[in-house]
Amino acid sequence: MYKRQVLEWFNPGCPFVKRSHTVGSLIDTAKRHTKDGVVWLAINSGGPGKQGAELAMNVEAAKTWALTHPILRDESGSVGKAYGATNTPHMFVIDKKGVLAYAGAIDNSPDGEGQSPEGGKLTNHVDAALANLAAGKPVAVPTTKAYGCSVKYGS
């Protein structure tokens, strides 16, 4: 039996990631869910020399944004490509059986700030997916289109 997991594709140099962690839907989202037993991992699939890939930049971002979950570096890009991660942030929720339950954007506000939600009301897709899973229900919206910067894969 697995724990519910969230994989967050991460690039501290991406303006969408910065906004999501400073004014948008990623503020304290990981802390709220890890407190409830969810495993949250940020994954940086940036290749060597690419925007946001440097170890120091990731360490500084974790400190600045008070991130307590691990940031994993996937310099080869093999993990990102296996999941089909295209953007930062790109979110993946995995259920207790180890099955992918949600893939897509953190929310429905592609500005990364939560200020221009499509449909007028802000929806945090990861919160919704985890709530569905906690209630023993299938995820109501299993996929959305991820927005943000492209993942900076190496060559």
Side-chain angles (χ1 to χ4, degrees):
M1 180 98 122
Y2 295 93
K3 289 186 173 196
R4 289 171 293 145
Q5 302 167 43
V6 175
L7 307 179
E8 168 196 349
W9 257 262
F10 185 79
N11 171 354
C14 170
F16 292 92
V17 171
K18 289 178 185 178
R19 288 193 300 263
S20 291
H21 278 284
T22 57
V23 297
S25 291
L26 281 168
I27 295 174
D28 294 331
T29 303
K31 286 180 188 165
R32 284 189 289 106
H33 292 296
T34 57
K35 181 179 62 158
D36 294 333
V38 172
V39 174
W40 193 292
L41 302 171
I43 302 174
N44 187 331
S45 292
K50 300 288 184 173
Q51 176 198 52
E54 300 81 27
L55 176 61
M57 191 173 201
N58 287 266
V59 170
E60 183 60 31
K63 188 170 127 183
T64 301
W65 301 331
L67 305 180
T68 57
H69 55 277
I71 299 171
L72 307 176
R73 295 175 68 221
D74 173 36
E75 290 182 320
S76 72
S78 60
V79 176
K81 290 174 184 171
Y83 275 91
T86 57
N87 297 78
T88 56
H90 197 161
M91 312 300 295
F92 297 84
V93 176
I94 300 165
D95 71 15
K96 287 183 176 183
K97 294 177 185 172
V99 175
L100 184 64
Y102 172 77
I106 180 64
D107 61 27
N108 63 331
S109 185
D111 60 1
E113 298 175 356
Q115 299 301 312
S116 61
E118 295 168 352
K121 181 179 183 224
L122 184 64
T123 301
N124 182 317
H125 297 305
V126 172
D127 283 352
L130 289 169
N132 286 154
L133 294 174
K137 298 177 182 175
V139 173
V141 179
T143 59
T144 62
K145 182 173 173 29
Y147 64 80
C149 302
S150 63
V151 175
K152 308 300 186 225
Y153 290 112
S155 47

